[in-house]
Amino acid sequence: MGVLGDPAFEEDKITYSDNLKHFINATDADAEAIFIMLRGNEFAIQSLADTNPRWDFSYESQLAVPGRQFIRQKDIFTHFWRVTTPLLATCLLYRYAFPKARVFHVAAPPPIESEEHILNNPEIFGTILKTYGIRPFALRQKIYAAMYEPLAKEMNVHGIKTLFSPDECLTQSGGLLKEYAHGCLHGNKKFGEALMKIFLKELESAPL
């Protein structure tokens, strides 16, 4: 998203770059459904490396782990909301530009549960993971939920449906199975094929 920039809310309008404007305008004007898979780095940057100070927070029934610096839920939500605002703004721009289309936000895959897989496929995060290690899966999963669940509710208010990863791609704990993972954060071709099934199901359920 570096090339497209970060859209932002300013009073009663959204400001955004010319590059993002051209990108949106490249969409078929008669599109009946738009699946937005832009951004997603928000979760990657916030969740992967267990940087100092090692912190935790409570979210719903998932309590913070003793021994870590406790972050108030209010502060967590404020921070995550600021982080995800450009993503919300991006999807709203599509919603306003294509009022007749069904608009979907495709959430980034959940955290990969296998730490071994992550360490063997660190992408650009090799050095930082060697330095700090990987955040525990339970914490990465909690970060994912605290970021994307409130965002999905806000998207829904504006008529944008969030699509999460297919159940077949997930472990019993809700993490991404390594068989569906590419690198340390992304889904692979097999994941894409499972995601396509969800897209087709949504299209088939469209009102006549």
Side-chain angles (χ1 to χ4, degrees), residues 117-169:
H117 176 89
I118 293 172
L119 291 173
N120 289 335
N121 302 274
E123 300 185 51
I124 63 171
F125 300 99
T127 299
I128 194 171
L129 292 179
K130 287 182 180 178
T131 303
Y132 297 105
I134 302 170
R135 282 206 172 104
F137 168 70
L139 178 52
R140 288 184 283 124
Q141 188 181 40
K142 187 162 44 175
I143 292 171
Y144 184 87
M147 288 184 70
Y148 282 108
E149 288 176 359
L151 179 63
K153 291 179 181 178
E154 185 64 23
M155 294 277 193
N156 189 59
V157 169
H158 298 280
I160 301 169
K161 182 176 181 178
T162 298
L163 301 178
F164 289 98
S165 297
D167 290 341
E168 69 179 83
C169 305

Side-chain angles (χ1 to χ4, degrees), residues 1 15 52-53 73 84-85 107 109-110 114 124-126 134 136 146-147 160 179-180 185-186 197 201 208:
M1 285 301 296
T15 59
N52 293 320
Q73 194 174 86
T84 57
T85 291
S114 171
I124 63 171
F125 300 99
I134 302 170
M147 288 184 70
I160 301 169
E179 290 81 8
Y180 290 87
L185 293 160
H186 306 97
K197 295 177 186 176
K201 186 176 180 180
L208 298 175

Side-chain angles (χ1 to χ4, degrees), residues 73-92:
Q73 194 174 86
K74 176 184 177 181
D75 295 331
I76 280 290
F77 282 137
T78 298
H79 174 65
F80 286 166
W81 187 247
R82 184 171 63 249
V83 167
T84 57
T85 291
L87 175 53
L88 174 62
T90 298
C91 292
L92 286 179

Side-chain angles (χ1 to χ4, degrees), residues 188-205:
N188 58 18
K189 181 180 179 181
K190 190 176 179 181
F191 174 83
E193 292 171 349
L195 201 57
M196 185 60 68
K197 295 177 186 176
I198 291 183
F199 294 174
L200 293 175
K201 186 176 180 180
E202 289 292 340
L203 294 176
E204 291 170 359
S205 64

